Amino acid sequence: MRRRRAASGGVAALLVVLGGTVASCGAERSSGAEKPSRAAEVKVDAPGTYYLHHLTESDGDQATDMPGQAYSIGLRASGRSPGKEPLTAKNVKVTIDLSAVTNRASIERVDTQEGCARSGDVITCSPRDVEEGKDAIFAPFSMKSRPGAAKGPAGPVKTTVTSANAPTVHHTTQLVIGSPFLTSRQEEEPLTGVQPGSEVKLTPAFGNRGDIGIDDDLSLVVEAKGQTSLRRQYGNCRYDKAVSPAKAVCQVSGPLPAGAAYETDKPITAVADRTGRQGKLSYTVYRAHDMPIAELLPGSAPRGTGAPLGLRPVDGSGSGFAGNGSTEQAGGELTFRTTRIHDLQTAGFTIKGRVGRSLDIDVLALDGGHSPDDVRLTLPEGVSLEGHREGEPGEILFCGYTEEKNGTIGCPGGMTTPTLRVRIDKRVEGAQGTISVRSDPKDPDPDNNSAPIKVEYLD
């Protein structure tokens, strides 16, 4: 539900998944007496810590006029009923107990349009039934610290989620007065003239310009996109594949005090494909216990073969470090172009999922780093195109049908990476679509400009 990057500062996101097998994350399971007749499990993905901007007595009227920070919740259903139909979570109810924190924070707004109501220090919401693949995302309330409230832990925010066809789940978020402000080192212009098959190195660097430190270890997520892959280097990193991995999740020792900045003591190394034209390395740093569930790799994921990746202090006070206003994450990227820049090419991919399920696909991860408006797609039979959902930010870009109205899909260009959102409507064995890129007059090999899109059906 969260799109590869965590929400910006002051926004907590809660993801509830109702379905089959679950590895719970900070959740307490209900007693057997609470279990409904249909077997289901609930998984909660929510921040362990929620940072609230610190207001002082000297802020005066400015503190009074300042709006509260939205607390955002998302619900997702997952699983199958006995008849193999998508599962719908029925009569979902969300109860948020704020009684432990209201002496240091005030509730500013309750969203009654989303079925939320306040009774004292307890907020109760009754969102719509949630069907698998159709997330319900809403902000039930906003809050801000009371002027003069001391910085530091302020108490627990306790959330309870119930449903008519799933067990009760409890989740606790620690409210903290004061906010980190994470920054990252801004990289130079894209590398050019890289030889195919050669190494490209990136040294992640990040800092904290907030008024409170992060008292936790840190997780560094590194991804290689386009025509490149990572070296499996470090023993404290897990990789998505044993050979030519595209993603690494490394845990490094914290904390990250206010005013401190670090870089990795060794670089992250990627290798450009031997026929590659361009690629991108990106990294994001998170508080270790607040990583979005989409970023996690399984415990069985292979580790690196070398010594652990560590940190060393650097000066993060200058203009070379900048942030995006987030209390939860910061990151950077390095793009490169090889000497085969005119060889436009793309690789096929496989849509993997269950019938009735929707998937979001990062288009730029598919086509070797081309501009997204160079990409054209046709979907396999049985797969349909989707776009924005109610409640999603309008700035998120999605691929859509072109004006030709012949089933061809185009993707918007711009500063934001577009998403291809599809739904597997029915099983059609052997169905294939295509992905292609527009040709360049200097292209030495136009035959690799198109590739198939396949479908793998999961039971």
Side-chain angles (χ1 to χ4, degrees):
M1 184 179 59
R2 285 187 270 183
R3 302 184 67 246
R4 291 199 56 232
R5 297 290 183 264
S8 62
V11 178
L14 169 66
L15 170 64
V16 180
V17 182
L18 301 146
T21 304
V22 162
S24 64
C25 178
E28 303 167 10
R29 293 190 179 182
S30 61
S31 64
E34 291 179 297
K35 290 186 177 180
S37 57
R38 181 188 297 170
E41 294 286 345
V42 176
K43 180 169 59 176
V44 176
D45 174 26
T49 303
Y50 180 72
Y51 297 101
L52 204 57
H53 178 69
H54 178 236
L55 297 175
T56 65
E57 296 284 3
S58 62
D59 288 322
D61 293 339
Q62 182 179 0
T64 303
D65 297 336
M66 184 177 295
Q69 295 173 205
Y71 192 98
S72 178
I73 291 179
L75 306 176
R76 175 182 293 174
S78 177
R80 293 278 156 169
S81 67
K84 300 296 184 182
E85 294 298 320
L87 176 68
T88 297
K90 298 287 187 179
N91 301 323
V92 175
K93 181 179 179 181
V94 180
T95 303
I96 306 165
D97 184 355
L98 296 155
S99 59
V101 303
T102 50
N103 61 330
R104 295 173 67 181
S106 60
I107 303 170
E108 296 297 304
R109 177 198 58 83
V110 175
D111 192 348
T112 57
Q113 293 183 353
E114 293 292 348
C116 299
R118 177 181 178 181
S119 177
D121 296 331
V122 176
I123 294 175
T124 303
C125 302
S126 301
R128 59 179 170 79
D129 293 347
V130 183
E131 182 182 343
E132 180 192 22
K134 297 182 179 179
D135 303 335
I137 306 171
F138 59 101
F141 67 94
S142 63
M143 64 193 309
K144 63 182 178 183
S145 65
R146 297 188 183 279
K151 288 190 291 186
V157 175
K158 297 182 178 181
T159 299
T160 302
V161 180
T162 62
S163 168
N165 55 339
T168 299
V169 170
H170 306 280
H171 182 86
T172 299
T173 296
Q174 177 65 52
L175 179 70
V176 174
I177 305 298
S179 301
F181 183 92
L182 299 189
T183 63
S184 59
R185 183 160 56 202
Q186 305 305 294
E187 299 299 329
E188 301 296 328
E189 294 297 317
L191 295 177
T192 59
V194 174
Q195 292 296 321
S198 66
E199 292 184 341
V200 178
K201 295 182 183 292
L202 171 66
T203 301
F206 49 86
N208 178 7
R209 291 184 184 170
D211 57 10
I212 198 167
I214 293 178
D215 187 18
D216 192 6
D217 288 341
L218 304 168
S219 289
L220 185 68
V221 179
V222 182
E223 293 187 270
K225 292 187 177 182
Q227 295 149 324
T228 185
S229 59
L230 298 173
R231 294 274 195 215
R232 239 182 80 200
Q233 293 172 281
Y234 302 116
N236 57 339
C237 301
R238 294 186 184 277
Y239 295 81
D240 62 344
K241 294 181 291 185
V243 178
S244 300
K247 180 177 180 178
V249 178
C250 309
Q251 184 159 319
V252 294
S253 297
L256 180 58
Y262 300 94
E263 68 178 8
T264 57
D265 60 358
K266 295 176 283 291
I268 302 296
T269 303
V271 180
D273 292 356
R274 293 192 177 279
T275 59
R277 60 187 298 271
Q278 56 188 356
K280 179 171 71 174
L281 294 178
S282 64
Y283 68 91
T284 310
V285 62
Y286 299 97
R287 184 178 181 271
H289 292 94
D290 277 342
M291 278 186 61
I293 194 169
E295 298 282 33
L296 297 175
L297 291 177
S300 59
R303 289 188 177 273
T305 57
L309 183 69
L311 300 176
R312 59 190 175 205
V314 293
D315 181 5
S317 61
S319 59
F321 278 68
N324 60 3
S326 175
T327 63
E328 299 181 34
Q329 54 88 13
E333 63 182 37
L334 174 66
T335 59
F336 68 88
R337 298 172 181 172
T338 77
T339 54
R340 292 178 62 94
I341 188 63
H342 293 295
D343 182 13
L344 299 182
Q345 54 186 273
T346 191
F349 64 97
T350 301
I351 299 170
K352 297 181 181 180
R354 293 181 294 186
V355 174
R357 186 69 180 268
S358 297
L359 303 95
D360 285 0
I361 300 169
D362 184 348
V363 174
L364 292 188
L366 306 175
D367 65 357
H370 302 294
S371 172
D373 51 15
D374 285 336
V375 179
R376 291 292 181 267
L377 307 101
T378 60
L379 295 178
E381 184 180 355
V383 178
S384 60
L385 183 70
E386 293 189 348
H388 273 103
R389 295 179 182 139
E390 184 178 353
E392 285 185 321
E395 62 268 20
I396 300 177
L397 300 179
F398 291 91
C399 301
Y401 288 111
T402 61
E403 294 180 358
E404 289 82 356
K405 301 185 184 301
N406 58 358
T408 300
I409 296 169
C411 301
M415 298 297 293
T416 304
T417 300
T419 294
L420 173 67
R421 176 173 286 170
V422 299
R423 186 179 191 275
I424 303 176
D425 298 318
K426 61 182 179 179
R427 182 186 291 262
V428 180
E429 299 296 343
Q432 285 193 7
T434 59
I435 177 171
S436 60
V437 292
R438 294 173 177 172
S439 187
D440 184 315
K442 299 179 182 179
D443 192 340
D445 185 9
D447 290 341
N448 60 12
N449 291 6
S450 182
I453 303 173
K454 301 180 181 179
V455 186
E456 181 180 331
Y457 303 99
L458 305 178
D459 296 328

